[in-house]
Amino acid sequence: MLSALDVRLYNTPKRAPPLPEIGALNPLQQIHRRDALWMAEHAVRPVGPLLEPLEAVEGASPLARMTTGERLTADFHGTGVTIGRHPMAYRRAEMQALGVTPAAHLARVPNGRLVRIAGAVIVRQRPGTAKGFVFLSMEDETGVMNAIITPAIYERYKLVVVAEPFLLIDGVLQNQDGVISVKAGRLSALPAGAAAAAHNFH
């Protein structure tokens, strides 16, 4: 049975070893997010009696730096947004190789021209008055683009349209009085990692 002294000693927070000053770190070694999380936890969490006898390890955390995909996933799962670059920005070279037109360049494409677009789906709409047509709003790092999906195309690609956060769409560009959209002819999923939650069929 523990005495009152034992209980008091057990519950007394132990002082954590001092953290290295940021300026004292190697200037070539940038502090990354897992370093920051490690340091924050280290500063506020008591060592406790189990680990107290161990020698304190000073310096940066032993955790590996997050990959771009891990950071984006953490951002979107934690807050729903990212303060970094848009996920599509990291794949722009690949998109250029596939012939994808960025949202900001669609206004330069002549009406009726075949075009390929890609991005994160931010809005899915299927109004009751639209006779089964589905309207998508997607975004890349340059802006927002709209796609129109006919009932027949929707039935063919329904699971892709409804479930995939990033889409690659081939279709015909329509520019009517400055309102630009792409009438979809073929859709496919674009593996691009985490994305903000879309507003679906509201």
Side-chain angles (χ1 to χ4, degrees):
M1 184 172 180
L2 295 174
S3 67
L5 177 60
D6 291 331
V7 171
R8 190 167 68 252
L9 290 174
Y10 182 83
N11 291 328
T12 302
K14 305 302 187 293
R15 186 180 183 88
L19 295 173
E21 294 292 331
I22 291 178
L25 294 174
N26 184 332
L28 298 178
Q29 178 188 15
Q30 295 181 347
I31 294 179
H32 56 84
R33 186 174 304 190
R34 285 190 174 131
D35 275 340
L37 292 171
W38 178 274
M39 291 178 178
E41 276 296 307
H42 195 75
V44 300
R45 188 181 294 268
V47 174
L50 181 63
L51 300 179
E52 187 178 10
L54 299 178
E55 183 179 348
V57 178
E58 303 208 2
S61 80
L63 303 177
R65 181 183 296 269
M66 282 185 174
T67 65
T68 298
E70 288 172 335
R71 184 182 59 75
L72 289 171
T73 299
D75 284 349
F76 286 121
H77 283 222
T79 64
V81 297
T82 179
I83 60 172
R85 299 167 68 195
H86 191 280
M88 291 299 296
Y90 298 102
R91 304 190 63 177
R92 183 49 53 197
E94 177 189 353
M95 294 299 101
Q96 288 178 341
L98 291 173
V100 171
T101 302
H105 297 172
L106 289 176
R108 306 175 191 172
V109 179
N111 182 51
R113 182 73 58 85
L114 289 173
V115 69
R116 174 175 284 176
I117 59 174
V121 180
I122 55 176
V123 178
R124 294 177 176 90
Q125 298 180 71
R126 196 182 189 192
T129 57
K131 299 181 180 179
F133 279 75
V134 174
F135 304 95
L136 300 180
S137 292
M138 306 193 312
E139 69 175 5
D140 61 16
E141 77 279 17
T142 71
V144 177
M145 60 205 107
N146 297 307
I148 301 171
I149 304 174
T150 64
I153 295 296
Y154 176 70
E155 287 303 318
R156 183 175 179 183
Y157 296 102
K158 183 175 182 179
L159 292 179
V160 173
V161 172
V162 171
E164 295 295 335
F166 291 87
L167 294 177
L168 181 70
I169 298 177
D170 293 310
V172 177
L173 185 124
Q174 298 179 337
N175 189 338
Q176 299 176 348
D177 300 324
V179 178
I180 299 172
S181 59
V182 174
K183 187 176 181 181
R186 183 173 59 184
L187 298 93
S188 58
L190 181 66
H199 299 277
N200 293 329
F201 305 111
H202 289 183

